[in-house]
Amino acid sequence: MGEQPSLYGPTQSRFARLLERREARRPDPVQRELRARLLSGLRGRVLEVGSGDGRSFEHYPPEVEHVRAVEPDATARAAAEPRARSAAVPIDVVAGVAVPLDAADESFDAVVVMGVLCSVPDPPAALTELRRALRPGGELRFWEHVRSRNAAFRALQRGFDRLLWTASLGGCETTRNTEAAIRAAGFRIETIERGFHSSSLLTVTSAPYVLGVARRP
C-alpha cells in the first residue's frame, strides 16, 4: 500500500500541487488579510502548531517575544525557514505534531492554529494538548475550515471530502464542528467570526470558516 498523499514534498497529491501553483501565481489577498487579523494584538510567547510553509510569519507583531513554529512536514519546514529569518520577531521552526505536543505545561501565552483542526486525526486530543501548553488565561487563536450551517452545502462538502478533498489534502475534513470541539475542550470563546471565502471554485467546499479567539480559564 502506497504512502498517503500529503500537502507538500515528494508525496504531494496532484490536486495539492495544482492549488499550490495557483496560489504562487495569484496569491489570495483575502487569506493574507485574515492571517493578519488573526495574529493582530498577540504578545509574549507564542506557539503556532501546523505552521506549514510560514505564510503567517510576516504578520506577527513586535510585541511577540518568541514564536515556536511546529510543523511535521520537512518540505514545509524548509520553505518556512527563510520566512522565519526575515520575520520581525524571533521564530524557531521545529519538527513536531499536535499529539503528542512537544511543549511544557503552561509555557505559552498564546497558541495559534490555522487549517489544523480540520486535519488532525483526533481534534479533541489535539485541543487537550493545546490547552495544556497554554498558561491559565492564555489565548487560542484559530482560523479553521468548518462545516456549513446550510444543509445542502454541507452535503456538497461531505461528498467532495469523500471524492477527493480529504485524501488529497493531508486528511482535511471540511465538515467538522470545530467551534463545538473548542468549547468541549474547556476553552471559553471570546470572539468568533463566521465567514465564507474561497479563492476559486476548486476550493469552494472549504469556504465556510471560523476565525476567533478562545481563552483557557
Side-chain angles (χ1 to χ4, degrees):
M1 186 171 164
E3 192 173 359
Q4 181 179 357
S6 66
L7 285 174
Y8 308 96
T11 63
Q12 185 183 47
S13 70
R14 284 184 290 180
F15 186 56
R17 192 175 305 119
L18 172 65
L19 296 181
E20 183 178 69
R21 288 173 177 170
R22 188 184 184 283
E23 176 66 17
R25 288 194 307 269
R26 192 184 306 166
D28 186 338
V30 175
Q31 289 190 1
R32 187 169 181 268
E33 189 265 340
L34 289 171
R35 289 187 201 102
R37 282 174 45 206
L38 181 68
L39 302 181
S40 176
L42 281 173
R43 59 181 63 245
R45 291 179 51 80
V46 177
L47 174 67
E48 182 176 342
V49 178
S51 54
D53 59 9
R55 293 180 199 185
S56 65
F57 295 170
E58 64 172 321
H59 301 298
Y60 279 102
E63 293 79 11
V64 169
E65 296 171 15
H66 179 264
V67 178
R68 181 176 175 86
V70 177
E71 170 54 46
D73 191 281
T75 301
R77 292 196 304 274
E81 285 289 357
R83 287 173 165 154
R85 289 193 293 271
S86 64
V89 302
I91 299 177
D92 289 333
V93 179
V94 300
V97 294
V99 182
L101 184 60
D102 184 13
D105 293 356
E106 301 182 359
S107 55
F108 290 92
D109 299 296
V111 173
V112 174
V113 286
M114 290 180 271
V116 170
L117 297 175
C118 59
S119 301
V120 291
D122 187 343
L127 283 161
T128 296
E129 283 289 83
L130 301 183
R131 189 176 187 276
R132 177 185 63 78
L134 270 175
R135 64 167 177 80
E139 291 183 340
L140 172 67
R141 300 279 184 110
F142 57 91
W143 172 33
E144 294 286 338
H145 306 305
V146 292
R147 68 184 189 184
S148 174
R149 293 180 163 190
N150 179 282
F153 195 87
R154 193 161 61 244
L156 178 65
Q157 289 179 300
R158 194 175 297 114
F160 197 49
D161 275 4
R162 285 197 297 261
L163 179 67
L164 178 68
W165 188 271
T166 301
S168 299
L169 296 176
C172 176
E173 297 179 18
T174 63
T175 55
R176 289 181 176 176
N177 189 348
T178 297
E179 180 183 345
I182 291 171
R183 294 184 192 278
F187 289 96
R188 183 178 68 250
I189 293 181
E190 297 195 332
T191 66
I192 188 165
E193 171 188 318
R194 299 177 183 89
F196 188 96
H197 171 71
S198 173
S199 58
S200 78
L201 283 175
L202 293 173
T203 58
V204 72
T205 55
S206 69
Y209 70 83
V210 290
L211 181 149
V213 180
R215 195 171 296 277
R216 176 185 170 176

